[in-house]
Amino acid sequence: MHSEEQTTTFHSRAGHSIRVRPLQHDDAPFLVDIFENMTAESRYKRFHQSLNHVSTNRIWTEANNIAQADPERSWGLVAFAASSDRQNMPVGAVRLVRTEPYEAEVGISVRDDFQNMGIGTQLMHMLVERARKMGIRRLVASIQNSNPVIWHVFKSLPYPITRLPDGAFSDIVISL
């Protein structure tokens, strides 16, 4: 059971009540569910590669690796919404992985039917605050220049962003 201090609730722009809690070691099924509810385009934007024909075994292996990662190196959040047929439907996840003592790479995924509702933005703001408490000074990510949604998420943060364009992608550094 998760304590109330670890759980946060907010409302999406569409009015959904979104419950967010830290990623737990047994959350692989939730990560797989989010992945399976992303279109090929969303997967490509998130993972920078076509993931249309990935084996179920690989998907589960990756989800387990993320959920069971060393908490000293990796930390994340998972968001849930209630639907007409599910009380705890996973709708998004965000995480960081330390790459250096004061730097971490960030990644975010939101299932397609819950995109453009402010969920990713809220998750990223929550992750950034946790990163600061962990002593992280820089967050890094590689994002597609043609992905206006993720640009909007990062630009909404109250921290300076350095953009290093490289072809169709940009490496960004968020200075905390």
Side-chain angles (χ1 to χ4, degrees), residues 67-88:
Q68 297 175 11
D70 176 3
E72 294 297 316
R73 244 189 104 242
S74 176
W75 188 85
L77 295 164
V78 63
F80 300 89
S83 70
S84 57
D85 58 338
R86 286 175 75 183
Q87 189 59 32
N88 280 321

Side-chain angles (χ1 to χ4, degrees), residues 2-73:
H2 309 286
S3 73
E4 288 302 314
E5 294 83 31
Q6 294 179 316
T7 302
T8 303
T9 302
F10 68 90
H11 286 87
S12 73
R13 283 196 295 264
H16 298 284
S17 179
I18 307 297
R19 185 177 59 85
V20 180
R21 65 160 173 77
L23 188 63
Q24 303 294 320
H25 286 284
D26 58 352
D27 281 347
F30 299 131
L31 300 176
V32 170
D33 190 313
I34 293 166
F35 180 84
E36 289 177 343
N37 284 284
M38 293 171 69
T39 62
E41 182 181 357
S42 290
R43 290 176 184 175
Y44 185 78
K45 286 179 180 175
R46 167 60 184 93
F47 300 104
H48 307 293
Q49 58 184 310
S50 174
L51 295 172
N52 295 339
H53 305 289
V54 179
S55 73
T56 302
N57 186 45
R58 179 171 172 214
I59 293 167
W60 277 93
T61 298
E62 291 297 324
N64 276 310
N65 288 343
I66 292 167
Q68 297 175 11
D70 176 3
E72 294 297 316
R73 244 189 104 242

